[in-house]
Amino acid sequence: QKEVEQNSGPLSVPEGAIASLNCTYSDRGSQSFFWYRQYSGKSPELIMFTYSNGDKEDGRFTAQLNKASQYVSLLIRDSQPSDSATYLCAVIGDNFNKFYFGSGTKLNVKP
Amino acid sequence: GAVVSQHPSWVICKSGTSVKIECRSLDFQATTMFWYRQFPKQSLMLMATSNEGSKATYEQGVEKDKFLINHASLTLSTLTVTSAHPEDSSFYICSARVAVGSYEQYFGPGTRLTVT
């Protein structure tokens, strides 16, 4: 059973602060890790992905992967109210075909 | 690039009828498309993996005779919900793999199905 766990939140941060979203996964064979943002009533949109240990930065977003501890996190710097959404963590298993999604963390950025 | 469309965006149907949802990759060829279902405040649940020209692979617990998937071309996959019931009401989302060997997949905008 492949599991991807996320705290459902809501996580509330003030505008301009750093939002930190965490995700743990159970399958050590997981290869790639993705963060999606989903606004209410909309489909997910890809923010970034990573497959190497360490940090990967893209604009205000940083994905941090620690395979030994089996967690991946997403940092959002200078959080904006428009960042308020549910963030889904997804991993690809060792068959390289299926995505396994976490239940998502709801982020509220307060003006 | 990597745009995926779905049609219709929402549909209301009566119990017992069938509904077809289309998923198209607009600017790339998708050898693999995926169909997900999402209930309110829950995460995406993979229903099936669709490969062009072959039968879809269904996840455990998904009735293949109820959810018919056809991937007739490299840019089109369809999901038909047959004999729909109110419990089938959900948000159906497709995604397409960008390229062979790529792990990235991009999602369509989703179809909200309501069965009355």
Side-chain angles (χ1 to χ4, degrees):
Chain A
Q1 180 77 18
K2 301 184 191 301
E3 294 183 350
V4 180
E5 301 287 341
Q6 292 181 259
N7 187 318
S8 62
L11 172 67
S12 294
V13 300
E15 183 174 357
I18 296 175
S20 178
L21 305 163
N22 299 312
C23 170
T24 60
Y25 58 94
S26 63
D27 182 16
R28 284 194 174 274
S30 298
Q31 297 294 322
S32 296
F33 308 86
F34 298 76
W35 283 100
Y36 287 86
R37 176 173 62 196
Q38 186 176 27
Y39 293 109
S40 181
K42 303 294 184 181
S43 66
E45 55 180 322
L46 180 66
I47 296 177
M48 62 187 309
F49 68 96
T50 184
Y51 43 81
S52 301
N53 268 328
D55 295 359
K56 179 181 179 181
E57 188 174 315
D58 184 1
R60 295 188 296 115
F61 301 98
T62 298
Q64 298 177 317
L65 175 60
N66 185 322
K67 288 188 176 181
S69 300
Q70 295 177 234
Y71 81 80
V72 56
S73 61
L74 179 70
L75 301 179
I76 306 175
R77 290 180 297 281
D78 188 24
S79 297
Q80 301 296 310
S82 58
D83 294 326
S84 297
T86 296
Y87 289 79
L88 301 172
C89 171
V91 305
I92 281 190
D94 51 13
N95 66 1
F96 301 104
N97 204 34
K98 297 182 183 179
F99 272 39
Y100 298 92
F101 282 87
S103 57
T105 298
K106 185 174 177 59
L107 172 67
N108 290 329
V109 180
K110 298 182 178 180
Chain B
V3 178
V4 178
S5 71
Q6 274 185 250
H7 179 79
S9 56
W10 59 271
V11 57
I12 302 173
C13 71
K14 292 185 177 181
S15 185
T17 62
S18 296
V19 174
K20 180 184 284 189
I21 302 170
E22 293 185 349
C23 176
R24 294 182 184 271
S25 55
L26 298 185
D27 51 0
F28 65 98
Q29 293 183 330
T31 55
T32 304
M33 289 184 173
F34 303 89
W35 287 96
Y36 295 85
R37 179 167 52 182
Q38 186 176 36
F39 293 106
K41 297 186 179 181
Q42 295 187 24
S43 191
L44 281 73
M45 297 299 297
L46 179 65
M47 299 176 66
T49 301
S50 168
N51 292 296
E52 185 266 338
S54 62
K55 292 183 178 180
T57 302
Y58 290 82
E59 292 300 297
Q60 192 173 8
V62 178
E63 301 175 57
K64 60 181 180 181
D65 294 331
K66 181 173 182 61
F67 298 99
L68 302 179
I69 292 173
N70 187 304
H71 195 154
S73 74
L74 288 172
T75 59
L76 173 65
S77 177
T78 60
L79 167 68
T80 301
V81 183
T82 62
S83 187
H85 292 283
E87 57 265 31
D88 297 323
S89 299
S90 188
F91 193 42
Y92 291 86
I93 308 172
C94 73
S95 71
R97 176 165 289 174
V98 175
V100 176
S102 168
Y103 302 156
E104 298 175 56
Q105 54 179 284
Y106 289 84
F107 287 87
T111 297
R112 176 125 354 244
L113 170 63
T114 301
V115 184
T116 61

